[in-house]
């Protein structure tokens, strides 16, 4: 799965005003030549009358339209990563976010271009009203919204949710998106006023979020919210979306059932959604081929052609808002010898030169990825382009930089410095075939320059909870999934947001870059903001808290004979969680 950076009720992982930690994406890739094989029999909302005779009987009245939506049935989705919690306040991974997106309504939603909108299933009744100085947002919600226990969803729930996230004691990963809020005022039961301390350009995307029920959680001490049964015990998880959280067998499956108290103007067609959890991606692909599941959100790119051989299975592969990276940890206590080997800038640059990133794209992703040199997607308005350093594969340059930084070969050829051996564990999520292969490439590339790497695959849910979120790891191979178009990534790169009040789990600190994130937030004009983020991209590419690897996409597979949607409701690969875009309007045929 991916990791979700910052709170948007997703993450993969969210901080980029919408990023999620991504862990479940096999050999997923982004390609300039994308494949978009949508179901051949996509439905429309128009009926077809095929009766061309003069017979007075009305066949159309007795013969159902094969393209018309039907109610009921079960959609079974495959995954190889279990959830952590579906409490929106603590979502930090896409496995949890998948479920949370289906069981909760959001305050606002996004259209295909990533613009904030009001949908029939949104909690908000209209777009926010923004004051002339850009520091007051007034939100009006629908009076019809309610929780699945029948209680009304009111301004109190919205205020409780946002006040909790901005409370440092809550340890919410998305605190950076709301800590610029000075006060949240209740105007009436359906009207909320957000007053900001300062102009915060990305704030509209802070409103792309789910809320939690105040009447269930208001008496829970804020420090206990993260470990509360809400979000992990279906019986105690009250939600607001078209489906409800009904069962969770850890490591086996998650079941969602249609919410009988759903309040939205449009009701879901699908009666039940089951997520089956498999040990690895290969097993998941076989389940697809056998018909045990009707959809996978990500399969290995190496298996696309085999899947296409089944004429019922359709592959959707387009550029996604995802990028893979190697993250360094700068905190000494996270290493067995209490010494982080990554503190030297030349050392980090050497590692970047030592990694054959293009080889990873060519051989692991089969040419379907795009190299990245900064945290901003290629071609986006914040992309620094040639201003960012491009570390082309050069093992000799890497060796020279390591020597300049004081590393010398030991008796076994592994580099040493100040009595410390350059050896570290590289963690990734078990079952992800792409990361298994990339980790092996990294291991060999760094061995070639005198660095010992031990790859270690860990169960995703356990890894997120015990290592990623608290920042307890030596180095990781992971990816961010960007949940919206704004480039603000303060929560994952600024020293203001070390765990547990942020997502800078590598404990990286660069005060100059910290100041640039703030400058970008204070700038409203997009052209001027772009200049700030281009400067950030340049500086981060030099200092390298991460080695940025590549942008990629998720090969989504759907059994087109059973899973149906109208064209306007088709999955949207460019959005975080876009593989579930408008799922409320989908239907299944048994």
């Amino acid at each position: 799965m991916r990791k979700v950076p910052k709170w948007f009720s997703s993450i993969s992982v969210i901080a980029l005003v919408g990023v999620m930690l991504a862990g479940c994406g096999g050999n997923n890739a982004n390609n300039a030549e994308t494949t978009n094989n949508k179901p051949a029999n996509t439905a429309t909302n128009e009926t077809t009358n095929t009766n061309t005779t003069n017979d007075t009987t009305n066949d159309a009245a007795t013969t159902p339209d094969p393209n018309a939506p039907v109610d009921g049935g079960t959609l079974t989705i495959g995954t190889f990563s279990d959830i952590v919690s579906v409490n929106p306040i603590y979502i930090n991974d896409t496995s949890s976010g998948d479920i949370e997106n289906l069981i909760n309504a959001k305050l606002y939603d996004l259209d295909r271009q990533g613009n904030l909108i009001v949908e029939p299933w949104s909690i908000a009744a209209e777009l926010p009203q923004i004051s002339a100085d850009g520091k007051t947002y007034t939100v009006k919600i629908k009076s019809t919204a309610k929780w699945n226990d029948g209680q009304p969803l009111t301004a109190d729930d919205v205020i409780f949710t946002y006040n909790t996230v901005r409370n440092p004691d809550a340890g919410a990963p998305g605190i950076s998106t709301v800590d610029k809020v000075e006060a949240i005022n209740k105007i009436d039961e359906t009207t909320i006023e957000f007053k900001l301390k300062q102009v915060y350009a990305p704030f509209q995307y802070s409103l792309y979020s789910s809320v939690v029920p105040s009447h269930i959680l208001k008496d829970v001490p804020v420090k206990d919210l993260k470990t509360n049964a809400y979000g992990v015990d279906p019986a105690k998880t009250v939600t607001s979306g078209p489906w409800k959280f009904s069962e969770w067998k850890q490591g086996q499956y998650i079941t969602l059932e249609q919410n009988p108290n759903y309040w939205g103007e449009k009701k879901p067609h699908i009666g039940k959604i089951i997520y089956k959890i498999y040990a690895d991606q290969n097993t998941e692909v076989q389940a697809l081929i056998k018909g045990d599941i009707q959809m996978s959100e990500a399969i290995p790119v190496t298996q696309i052609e085999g899947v296409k051989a089944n004429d019922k299975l359709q592959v959707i592969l387009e550029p996604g808002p995802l990028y893979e990276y190697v993250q360094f940890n700068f905190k000494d206590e996270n290493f067995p010898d209490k010494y982080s080997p990554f503190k030297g800038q030349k050392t980090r640059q050497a590692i970047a030169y030592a990694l054959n990133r293009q080889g990873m794209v060519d051989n692991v992703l089969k040419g379907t990825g795009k190299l990245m040199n900064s945290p901003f997607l290629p071609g986006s308005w914040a992309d620094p382009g040639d201003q960012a350093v491009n570390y082309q594969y050069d093992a000799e340059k890497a060796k020279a930089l390591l020597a300049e930084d004081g590393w010398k070969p030991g008796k076994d050829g592994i580099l040493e410095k100040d009595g410390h051996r350059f050896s570290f564990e590289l963690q990734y999520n078990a079952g992800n075939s792409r990361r298994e292969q990339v980790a092996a490439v990294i291991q060999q590339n760094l061995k070639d320059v005198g660095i010992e790497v031990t790859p270690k695959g860990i169960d995703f849910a356990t890894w997120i909870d015990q290592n990623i979120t608290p920042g307890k790891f030596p180095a990781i191979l992971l990816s961010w999934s960007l949940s919206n178009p704004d480039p603000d990534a303060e929560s994952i790169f600024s020293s203001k947001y070390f765990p547990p009040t942020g997502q800078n789990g590598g404990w990286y600190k660069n005060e100059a870059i910290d100041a640039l994130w703030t400058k970008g937030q204070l700038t409203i004009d997009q052209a001027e903001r772009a200049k700030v983020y281009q400067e950030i991209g340049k500086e981060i590419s030099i200092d390298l808290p991460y080695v940025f690897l590549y942008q990629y996409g998720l090969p989504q597979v759907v059994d087109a004979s059973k899973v149906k949607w109208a064209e306007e409701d088709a999955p949207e690969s460019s959005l975080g969680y876009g593989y579930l875009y408008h799922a409320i309007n989908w239907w299944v045929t048994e």
Side-chain angles (χ1 to χ4, degrees):
M1 298 279 31
R2 284 144 288 139
K3 180 181 173 182
V4 184
K6 101 160 220 177
W7 174 67
F8 86 95
S9 134
S10 96
I11 163 93
S12 106
V13 26
I14 316 181
L16 298 177
V17 173
V19 266
M20 295 150 282
L21 277 171
C24 77
N27 279 332
N28 309 326
N30 180 339
N31 190 350
E33 300 176 0
T34 56
T35 303
N36 187 0
N37 295 322
K38 293 177 181 175
N41 296 320
T42 50
T44 69
N45 291 325
E46 299 175 0
T47 59
T48 303
N49 186 347
T50 59
N51 182 8
T52 59
T53 71
N54 292 322
D55 193 332
T56 57
T57 59
N58 188 353
D59 289 344
T62 57
T63 304
D65 181 353
N67 291 325
V70 295
D71 292 337
T74 299
L75 170 62
T76 306
I77 302 173
T79 181
F80 63 93
S81 297
D82 206 345
I83 64 174
V84 179
S85 168
V86 296
N87 183 336
I89 292 173
Y90 295 104
I91 297 290
N92 198 31
D93 66 282
T94 52
S95 291
S96 302
D98 284 342
I99 306 302
E100 195 278 323
N101 268 282
L102 295 168
I103 62 177
N104 273 315
K106 285 187 167 54
L107 194 55
Y108 290 94
D109 285 275
L110 300 180
D111 65 16
R112 289 189 186 276
Q113 290 71 46
N115 301 308
L116 204 70
I117 60 169
V118 174
E119 295 278 19
W121 45 85
S122 304
I123 296 169
E126 59 189 41
L127 287 173
Q129 297 177 12
I130 307 173
S131 63
D133 65 2
K135 294 197 292 186
T136 301
Y137 288 68
T138 303
V139 172
K140 184 79 173 177
I141 66 173
K142 295 168 183 169
S143 60
T144 53
K146 62 181 178 180
W147 299 100
N148 72 337
D149 64 358
Q151 293 296 308
L153 193 161
T154 69
D156 292 330
D157 300 304
V158 177
I159 293 169
F160 173 81
T161 302
Y162 280 83
N163 278 336
T164 300
V165 174
R166 70 192 186 105
N167 185 340
D169 289 340
I175 189 173
S176 71
T177 67
V178 291
D179 63 356
K180 285 81 176 172
V181 174
E182 182 176 54
I184 309 175
N185 301 317
K186 179 180 176 180
I187 306 303
D188 56 43
E189 289 300 317
T190 59
T191 311
I192 307 100
E193 180 184 74
F194 294 84
K195 284 192 167 293
L196 307 186
K197 304 172 188 175
Q198 62 183 59
V199 170
Y200 178 54
F203 185 71
Q204 62 169 323
Y205 289 114
S206 302
L207 302 175
Y208 169 51
S209 162
S210 302
V211 299
V212 297
S214 172
H215 68 284
I216 298 294
L217 297 175
K218 65 182 179 180
D219 294 327
V220 178
V222 68
K223 290 185 177 181
D224 296 337
L225 278 171
K226 189 173 183 179
T227 56
N228 188 264
Y230 184 89
V232 293
D233 183 347
K236 297 180 180 179
T237 304
V238 174
T239 55
S240 59
W243 295 275
K244 64 178 184 177
F245 187 28
S246 59
E247 188 177 13
W248 177 22
K249 283 281 188 180
Q250 291 189 8
Q252 298 180 49
Y253 62 86
I254 299 149
T255 302
L256 313 180
E257 295 179 349
Q258 201 172 95
N259 174 9
N261 283 322
Y262 183 57
W263 52 272
E265 298 171 30
K266 287 191 175 181
K267 309 301 181 186
H269 295 299
I270 298 172
K272 182 183 292 186
I273 299 177
I274 299 174
Y275 272 77
K276 282 191 176 181
I277 303 165
Y278 292 91
D280 54 55
Q281 288 180 297
N282 292 329
T283 308
E284 185 182 345
V285 170
Q286 290 306 308
L288 264 173
I289 293 171
K290 290 192 297 182
D292 292 342
I293 59 177
Q294 292 85 53
M295 190 175 100
S296 171
E297 293 158 3
I299 66 164
V301 72
T302 52
Q303 300 200 37
I304 288 178
E305 293 306 316
V307 166
K308 285 182 179 178
N310 184 324
D311 59 7
K312 292 182 179 180
L313 300 179
Q314 302 294 325
V315 178
I316 303 170
L317 175 57
E318 296 182 355
L322 305 152
Y323 71 84
E324 200 120 76
Y325 59 86
V326 174
Q327 182 179 9
F328 306 119
N329 201 307
F330 297 90
K331 196 169 187 178
D332 289 335
E333 67 185 53
N334 289 308
F335 296 83
D337 58 355
K338 308 302 179 186
Y339 175 85
S340 170
F342 303 122
K343 292 181 179 178
Q345 186 186 84
K346 288 184 178 180
T347 292
R348 301 192 295 276
Q349 292 173 344
I351 291 174
Y353 280 116
L355 297 185
N356 188 354
R357 299 183 300 148
Q358 189 61 54
M360 297 173 192
V361 170
D362 294 342
N363 300 315
V364 178
L365 300 182
K366 305 302 178 186
T368 61
K370 186 180 296 184
L371 292 183
M372 285 187 60
N373 299 312
S374 81
F376 309 121
L377 295 179
S380 67
W381 61 264
D383 178 16
D386 293 341
Q387 295 181 54
V389 179
N390 178 30
Y391 293 89
Q392 294 185 331
Y393 178 50
D394 191 334
E396 294 308 312
K397 190 165 187 175
K399 291 177 183 177
L401 283 169
L402 288 164
E404 289 177 27
D405 217 17
W407 293 97
K408 297 178 181 179
K411 293 180 180 180
D412 60 357
I414 301 302
L415 297 174
E416 295 180 350
K417 180 180 179 180
D418 300 329
H420 298 280
R421 199 164 177 268
F422 206 153
S423 176
F424 66 90
E425 180 180 271
L426 178 66
Q427 299 178 358
Y428 63 93
N429 56 306
N432 187 309
S433 60
R434 181 188 69 254
R435 292 200 181 118
E436 290 172 357
Q437 294 174 71
V438 171
V441 173
I442 292 170
Q443 181 183 38
Q444 185 58 56
N445 285 167
L446 294 187
K447 181 180 179 181
D448 292 342
V449 299
I451 300 172
E452 182 179 65
V453 178
T454 303
K456 183 178 181 180
I458 306 174
D459 170 72
F460 188 69
T462 302
W463 186 40
I464 293 294
D465 191 42
Q466 298 182 9
N467 300 92
I468 304 302
T469 300
K472 295 180 179 179
F473 55 83
I476 57 173
L477 173 62
L478 194 49
S479 68
W480 286 114
S481 174
L482 315 186
S483 67
N484 68 62
D486 198 278
D488 182 51
E490 183 184 37
S491 183
I492 58 176
F493 290 110
S494 172
S495 61
K496 292 190 290 184
Y497 297 107
F498 292 143
T501 55
Q503 296 174 299
N504 183 357
W507 307 89
Y508 170 67
K509 184 174 183 179
N510 183 313
E511 292 180 355
I513 294 177
D514 287 355
L516 285 171
W517 290 119
T518 300
K519 184 177 180 181
Q521 295 163 359
L522 292 169
T523 305
I524 296 297
D525 182 77
Q526 184 168 299
E528 292 302 312
R529 284 190 80 201
K531 294 177 184 177
V532 177
Y533 293 114
Q534 287 160 10
E535 179 67 17
I536 291 173
K538 173 186 173 183
E539 293 303 318
I540 280 185
S541 75
I542 293 170
D543 206 31
L544 288 183
Y546 293 5
V547 174
F548 301 94
L549 299 178
Y550 42 75
Q551 181 188 9
Y552 65 101
L554 298 173
Q556 180 179 357
V557 181
V558 179
D559 184 340
S561 70
K562 295 182 179 178
V563 184
K564 308 288 184 178
W565 52 66
E567 187 64 25
E568 62 267 24
D569 299 318
E572 179 51 62
S573 300
S574 68
L575 295 176
Y577 295 118
Y579 41 78
L580 293 168
Y581 189 72
H582 286 190
I584 190 173
N585 291 333
W586 298 2
W587 68 95
V588 293
T589 59
E590 295 295 342

